[in-house]
């Protein structure tokens, strides 16, 4: 049975809010990683998120079943590994190319769902996926070459897609808070392993700590919970298309707060991604097979998270 239409719409709006928050962090991260290595930044960010979440949601986290704990660990490993690979890839490729390749999880999510879970993806959804991907290319690409950096980034996109698919299958509203807490802790451990060789570097001043705390509490803890809850009520493909708005919001905040200039590419690419989201939203109803297949997944079903 599909989730009620109102709850599905709420989940979509919540996921849009998550992508807006993620998009607002791009220019903050760009400034912060000039002095704090990316792996160190991720470790501290998700470490703080995990500590705060466990303090607030200790009862819900401890109430998780062993199965839910295993799911949380798998989801955290997927997401943490994707973060590390994306960071490694970014050291060998342009940020614009990295942004586009990472965004290909929009395509990889329905592909993984169809191949691994035998999900049926409607033609209109594939059209929205294609339009969103083209929009990401217009928004991000300034040239393209294939090398080690691009390969690492593509692998990270596969893991992000796997995380989205897993969340769509395993996430339930009941366990969302606990799952998000376990994920944050596991992500901190995974990124911490990458940070160990060079030692842990902390932010140098109050401004950097303020940025990191915003990313830990709002874009970390809050966003992890919101995504986990939202994907209990949305298909993985639908969620991926909505999350393609992240670079659109990143461009918006870069112009609004980061001092960048608004370009024609931003307007055209952003419009294409927004159109793709509206296309899949307008054509999806609780009775659609593409919407009902994963909006209210059975608890025992295999679940995937980003």
């Amino acid at each position: 049975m599909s989730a009620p239409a109102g709850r599905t719409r709420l989940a979509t709006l919540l996921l849009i809010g998550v992508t807006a928050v993620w998009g607002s962090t791009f220019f903050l991260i760009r400034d912060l990683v000039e002095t704090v290595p990316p792996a160190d930044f991720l470790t501290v960010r998700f470490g703080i998120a995990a500590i705060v979440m466990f303090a607030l949601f200790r009862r819900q986290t401890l109430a998780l079943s062993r199965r839910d704990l295993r799911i949380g660990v798998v989801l955290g490993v997927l997401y943490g590994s994707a973060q590390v690979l994306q960071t490694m890839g970014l050291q060998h490729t342009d940020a614009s190319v990295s942004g586009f390749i990472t965004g290909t999880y929009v395509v990889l999510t329905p592909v993984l769902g169809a191949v691994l879970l035998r999900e049926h993806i409607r033609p209109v959804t594939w059209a929205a996926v294609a339009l969103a991907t083209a929009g990401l290319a217009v928004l991000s690409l300034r040239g393209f070459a294939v090398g080690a950096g691009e390969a690492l980034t593509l692998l990270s996109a596969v893991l992000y897609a796997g995380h989205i698919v897993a969340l769509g299958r395993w996430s339930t509203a009941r366990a969302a808070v606990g799952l998000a807490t376990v994920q944050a802790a596991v992500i901190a451990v995974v990124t911490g392993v990458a940070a160990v060789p060079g030692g842990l570097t902390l932010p140098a001043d109050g401004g950097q700590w303020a940025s990191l705390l915003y990313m830990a509490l709002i874009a970390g803890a809050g966003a992890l919970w919101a995504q986990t809850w939202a994907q209990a009520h949305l298909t993985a493909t639908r969620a991926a298309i909505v999350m393609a708005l992240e670079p659109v919001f990143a461009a918006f905040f870069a112009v609004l707060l980061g001092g960048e200039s608004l370009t024609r590419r931003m307007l055209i690419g952003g419009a294409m991604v927004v159109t793709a989201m509206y296309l899949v939203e307008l054509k999806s109803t609780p009775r659609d097979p593409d919407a009902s297949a994963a909006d209210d997944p059975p608890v025992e079903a295999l679940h995937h998270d980003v």
Side-chain angles (χ1 to χ4, degrees):
M1 180 182 298
S2 63
R7 189 170 296 178
T8 302
R9 292 290 168 81
L10 176 60
T12 301
L13 291 174
L14 197 59
L15 206 54
I16 292 173
V18 168
T19 63
V21 169
W22 284 342
S24 72
T25 66
F26 272 63
F27 70 95
L28 296 175
I29 293 173
R30 181 187 60 195
D31 294 338
L32 188 58
V33 296
E34 289 182 359
T35 55
V36 181
D40 300 38
F41 151 70
L42 291 170
T43 302
V44 177
R45 172 185 174 182
F46 286 102
I48 292 173
I51 292 170
V52 171
M53 292 177 77
F54 187 74
L56 293 175
F57 309 118
R58 180 176 180 273
R59 179 178 58 82
Q60 295 93 324
T61 304
L62 294 178
L64 291 175
S65 66
R66 289 185 178 181
R67 178 181 178 277
D68 287 335
L69 284 173
R70 289 195 297 269
I71 288 171
V73 170
V74 170
L75 293 175
V77 169
L78 283 171
Y79 195 92
S81 300
Q83 291 269 322
V84 172
L85 287 172
Q86 184 183 13
T87 300
M88 292 171 60
L90 192 55
Q91 295 174 341
H92 304 285
T93 189
D94 293 337
S96 60
V97 175
S98 175
F100 169 71
I101 297 177
T102 302
T104 59
Y105 66 72
V106 176
V107 176
L108 294 168
T109 297
V111 170
L112 288 180
V115 172
L116 299 179
L117 305 176
R118 301 184 184 278
E119 292 180 349
H120 171 69
I121 309 298
R122 297 174 305 143
V124 67
T125 304
W126 283 118
V129 166
L131 183 59
T133 305
L136 290 171
V138 173
L139 193 63
S140 305
L141 289 184
R142 303 291 189 278
F144 192 85
V146 178
E150 289 75 19
L152 289 171
T153 307
L154 181 60
L155 183 54
S156 77
V158 173
L159 294 180
Y160 281 130
H163 179 262
I164 293 171
V165 171
L167 265 185
R169 282 295 177 179
W170 289 335
S171 180
T172 63
R174 171 188 57 80
V177 169
L179 276 178
T181 303
V182 174
Q183 284 184 80
V186 174
I187 293 168
V189 171
V190 172
T191 56
V193 171
V196 164
L200 193 63
T201 301
L202 298 177
D205 56 44
Q208 289 187 346
W209 272 110
S211 296
L212 192 146
L213 287 174
Y214 168 75
M215 288 182 276
L217 301 179
I218 307 300
L224 268 178
W225 167 79
Q227 183 191 1
T228 304
W229 185 90
Q231 284 207 241
H233 307 288
L234 297 173
T235 65
T237 299
R238 192 169 175 180
I241 292 173
V242 173
M243 286 189 288
L245 288 170
E246 181 181 354
V248 179
F249 281 116
F252 171 78
F253 284 110
V255 171
L256 184 66
L257 303 175
E260 295 189 17
S261 300
L262 182 65
T263 67
R264 184 179 301 177
R265 293 176 67 98
M266 289 181 183
L267 291 173
I268 296 174
M272 293 170 73
V273 174
V274 172
T275 301
M277 190 201 72
Y278 273 106
L279 179 64
V280 77
E281 281 299 307
L282 291 174
K283 294 298 182 179
S284 295
T285 68
R287 293 187 179 183
D288 287 341
D290 193 30
S292 63
D295 279 351
D296 193 16
V299 175
E300 280 73 25
L302 199 66
H303 168 280
H304 160 288
D305 151 300
V306 169

